[in-house]
Amino acid sequence: MALLQAKNVTKQFGGLLAVNDVTLTIDRGSIVSVIGPNGAGKTTFFNVLTGIYKPDKGSITFNGQSLLNLRSDQITACGITRTFQNIRLFNNMTVLENVLVGMHSRLHAPMWNIIFRTPTMRQEERQARQKARELLHFVGLDDKRDDLAKNLPYGDQRRLEIARALASEPKMVLLDEPTAGMNPHETASATRLIQRLRDDMGVTVVLIEHDMKVVMSISERISVLDYGIKIAEGTPDDIRANPRVIEAYLGKGATQESEATHQDPEITTQEAEVHTTPEVRRQKPAL
Amino acid sequence: MAQTNPQSSLQVGTWDQLKTRLNRGIWPYLLITTYSLVVTLLLFRNPSTSRNTDILFVLFLGIMLLTYKMALRPEFKLAIAALFLGIGLPYFGTLNPFYMDIATMVGIFVVLALGLNVTVGFVGLLDLGYIAFYAAGAYLWAIFSTRQAQNIFPGLAHLFPVPPSWFFIFMLLALVVGACMGLLLGSPVLRLRGDYLAIVTLGFGEVIRVLATNLDRPVNITNGAQGIRDIGRPPLFFEPWVREMGVDLSQGQLYQLFFYFLVLLVLGFMIMVVYRLSNSRIGRAWTAIREDETAAIAMGVPLVRMKLTAFAVGASFAAVMGTIFAAKQLFINPPTFDLLRSINVLSMVILGGMGSIPGVILGATLVTLLNLQLLPRLARELSVLQIPSQFDPTQYQRMLFGLLLILMTIFRPAGILPEDRRRQELEGNAIDVPAEIEQSPPQATEPDVGMKS
């Protein structure tokens, strides 16, 4: 069943068509990756989905509701949250507070109740803290809840972003390069976490990712953008074999070469190579 | 707090060791009691306005800072504050009205600084026209408590000036008017950031001041540059009770006490409001906006509403203080509310520590004391040196103040008592974790990365 339907979404910056007529359907409870070379419009597409940019054309329906005329914070309240490519935590707030801010759309105590600390407000606050700690526990940061966000190591900051995104009780999270800049070890643990978002929390996950090992191992469907256009969509195996995708990543010559050698082994770039190594296949059942 | 935490104990100096030792067990209670009693007694024995009294007065206010800094039970801290601010200071005020006046002004400016801190410190929106809200409150009471209002409503002339007891209604009215003005200023500047915002708010402050100067024609509303005099005062409703208790004070002294306690009351309420707001969803949203606006929106923080709330909260308290100020001074004119005042309040916030409530209180106290009492005193003391009149030190008050600001920004850029979110979180630790969470096995703890290589 479709949770999110984006139809013919177009976003233009001056003469640049950052997202060009992209149609994408995301099923409830799935893990979907959006990949593509740098500058392909992936992050812009996320920004359109979360209301940071308004699309020039097209429609976006989430959970049966149009998102077109909603502000970012209203979209969050509807159930879409995100993380950012370049981590954007609230640096001078504590880890716990970061998560509590994520909960904003679920807290309703009016100013009057806050000033006079009414029992309802206090209970809401207590429950919020409780839930924030549960989320921190889920991502493995509960013991660091009182640290300032800026003092966390890099991998933990990424985890915190995920916990903060989960705080608004989303139906869908958009993860923008969740493993960027991580070492292989951190990447593996982040991949496990993403898997658990769906399996344990029941959240639909859409991720932008450059690490093909991650993409191929956890995605159920993959969409490929290039120059703002969706050039391919399908299961990881479809995408791996798709000549247009290989062309987008490696240029025309590579396609011919790979066709000549019946795909795979000769492809030399790291990204393309990684997903075919036996190590990945071994890892998959463990996830 | 002054308590040393384990991490820093690696490199503690003798001073820190001493501080830690003195801040444990019964020591802080003994220290604070001795200190405050000695200072208070000395102060009471020196009621004349002099250099020594100035120093003692500052030391006396230092009781509050020490109490805040030391590891004492919260009830004890509150008791100390109530005792010395509620009894000690007013009693001294009856001996020397000058210091009473200074204490009241300190209170007024602390409230103003706390209000400005909401927009500047919490939300990070630079507001250079903050004093406009203060002016609005002051003019509101000034106009309606004098014959000035008759010019505005000629048909209802018999209603004005309003009876003195309406002062309290006008305080509430000022709260509303201030909040509305905050919204009025807030809504057009929502899309602006940084420098642009500062310029627009600066313009707003000037507009209000220019309006106050020029609204004497065609209808005389503000009485222009001459200002409004003989502003009404609230009734001394408690006078009979005080007299009954055998306290023999003049009307002037009673008014001083009255305004002092009124300011103290508003101040107490203000501290409660900002403290509670800052620890709530609203305060967290404010800080989130300051830290990263885009991320805040993406996390579901309604930017417009939160920014407007901040403007309204800050402005409403400034307006309330304006009414008290007008009633206390009996006379206001436009230059009272010029840009320098706005900058002055801003410097209190920055000096104390943006976003830090105790810091801002300290900053406002220090700056007000410096401006009203210490710098003039210093200038007077220096005049003994027989410096030629061209270099008269009284001229250099502002320069000394400027120098102090520069030194502060170099050596303590985050303010004297910077915002400390970790300490606040200690309260969060007290929250119970449900049993199932504590017992659940530590999940997927990753082996140390270093072990792999």
Side-chain angles (χ1 to χ4, degrees), chain A residues 36 75 104 202:
Chain A
I75 290 177
H104 190 90

Side-chain angles (χ1 to χ4, degrees), chain A residues 92 115 125 130 133 140 146, chain B residues 276 284 421 429 433-434 443:
Chain A
N92 289 309
I115 291 173
E125 192 73 359
Q130 186 76 62
R133 292 193 56 182
D146 295 333
Chain B
R276 290 186 170 180
R284 288 190 298 263
R421 303 200 81 89
N429 282 348
V433 184
Q443 39 116 23

